[in-house]
């Protein structure tokens, strides 16, 4: 009997340790650590220097576009502002290849954030969705995932990372999320890429149209956000 009890104690301790390590709050803590580490790497390595230093000479052609798309995805997951990366894509690869690299990187970065949030944060955060606004957002994304995410991506006032993690906490599926991200990101991304590609000729029609589109959508986004906030306060 004593031998059996002694053998059961280590097993019980191992089970408790495994439960603690795999608990929702432990996984959420790991997510916070990973995001903090990613942000620290951005501060140290400064990937935005691509705008001034250019692309490494040893990489060229399609390989450079693919590497840039992968790096773009990692950078967006680490909270590097997408407008900077979109400008860099246009400056390095031109309008067409730059747009392809930027959209691919956008989907990669969104997928990384969605996967991390779904695996490490959803179980811990879903019980906290008790507020009226949080419940409304969760219900909208869960029931009308593609349509809602498409609107979010088209709306320039919603932070990219915030949308990713909100979708991850909801019950939205992978395919609607990634497809809506790819389609909804095209207009605003294209404007920045074209601006980056034509930055050397700031008086060209393409550059002026791109900057005008960025200014108009930014102003419209700020106006809609202000009206929405004012409406919610009134209620």
């Amino acid at each position: 009997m004593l031998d059996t009890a002694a053998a059961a104690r280590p097993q019980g301790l191992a089970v408790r340790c495994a439960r603690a390590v795999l608990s929702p709050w432990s996984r959420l803590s790991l997510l916070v650590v990973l995001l903090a580490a990613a942000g620290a790497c951005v501060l140290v390595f400064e990937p935005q220097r691509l705008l001034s230093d250019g692309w490494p000479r040893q990489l060229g052609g399609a390989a450079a576009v693919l590497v840039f798309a992968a790096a773009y995805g990692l950078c967006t997951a680490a909270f590097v502002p997408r407008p900077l990366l979109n400008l860099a894509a246009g400056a390095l690869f031109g309008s067409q290849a730059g747009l392809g690299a930027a959209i691919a990187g956008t989907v990669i970065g969104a997928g990384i954030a969605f996967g991390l949030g779904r695996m490490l944060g959803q179980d811990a955060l879903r019980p906290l969705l008790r507020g009226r606004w949080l419940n409304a957002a969760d219900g909208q994304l869960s029931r009308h995932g593609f349509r809602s995410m498409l609107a979010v991506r088209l709306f320039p006032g919603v932070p990219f990372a915030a949308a990713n993690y909100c979708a991850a906490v909801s019950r939205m599926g992978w395919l609607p999320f990634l497809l809506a991200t790819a389609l909804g990101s095209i207009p605003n991304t294209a404007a920045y890429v074209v601006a980056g590609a034509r930055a050397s000729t700031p008086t060209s029609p393409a550059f002026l149209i791109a900057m005008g589109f960025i200014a108009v959508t930014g102003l419209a986004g700020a106006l809609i956000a202000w009206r929405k906030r004012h409406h919610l306060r009134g209620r």
Side-chain angles (χ1 to χ4, degrees):
M1 291 291 294
L2 291 176
D3 293 340
T4 303
R9 286 175 192 164
Q11 293 179 358
L13 179 61
V15 170
R16 288 196 295 270
C17 290
R19 287 177 179 174
V21 171
L22 297 176
S23 69
W25 287 105
S26 295
R27 284 182 283 163
L28 180 61
S29 300
L30 176 59
L31 175 61
V32 173
V33 170
L34 288 175
L35 295 179
C41 289
V42 169
L43 294 176
V44 171
F45 295 106
E46 298 181 350
Q48 63 272 19
R49 286 185 299 177
L50 281 172
L51 283 172
S52 57
D53 298 344
W55 192 249
R57 294 182 178 179
Q58 55 269 34
L59 282 175
V65 175
L66 293 175
V67 172
F68 180 87
Y72 184 116
L74 293 174
C75 287
T76 55
F79 307 115
V80 176
R82 288 182 59 247
L84 288 176
L85 298 171
N86 293 333
L87 290 171
L92 294 173
F93 305 111
S95 299
Q96 295 182 355
L99 179 59
I103 293 299
T106 297
V107 174
I108 292 171
I112 292 173
F114 187 83
L116 288 174
R118 180 61 55 90
M119 290 187 296
L120 301 179
Q122 187 186 47
D123 292 341
L125 292 177
R126 279 201 65 82
L128 303 179
L129 298 178
R130 303 182 188 276
R132 181 179 61 185
W133 298 348
L134 293 175
N135 276 325
D138 175 53
Q140 185 69 19
L141 288 171
S142 299
R143 292 191 300 269
H144 310 288
F146 175 81
R147 183 176 65 190
S148 301
M149 186 52 57
L150 184 64
V152 166
R153 296 309 190 193
L154 290 170
F155 181 68
V158 179
F160 183 72
N164 294 336
Y165 289 106
C166 285
V169 175
S170 74
R171 295 185 177 89
M172 184 178 184
W174 276 88
L175 182 59
F177 172 76
L178 295 178
L179 186 58
T181 295
L183 295 177
S185 299
I186 290 176
N188 198 257
T189 301
Y192 278 98
V193 170
V194 171
R198 302 300 178 91
S200 59
T201 55
T203 58
S204 65
F207 180 84
L208 294 176
I209 292 173
M211 293 304 297
F213 180 85
I214 293 170
V216 170
T217 54
L219 181 61
L223 179 61
I224 293 172
W226 178 83
R227 291 188 62 182
K228 188 67 174 177
R229 183 177 180 182
H230 182 73
H231 176 70
L232 290 173
R233 281 184 175 181
R235 293 177 60 184

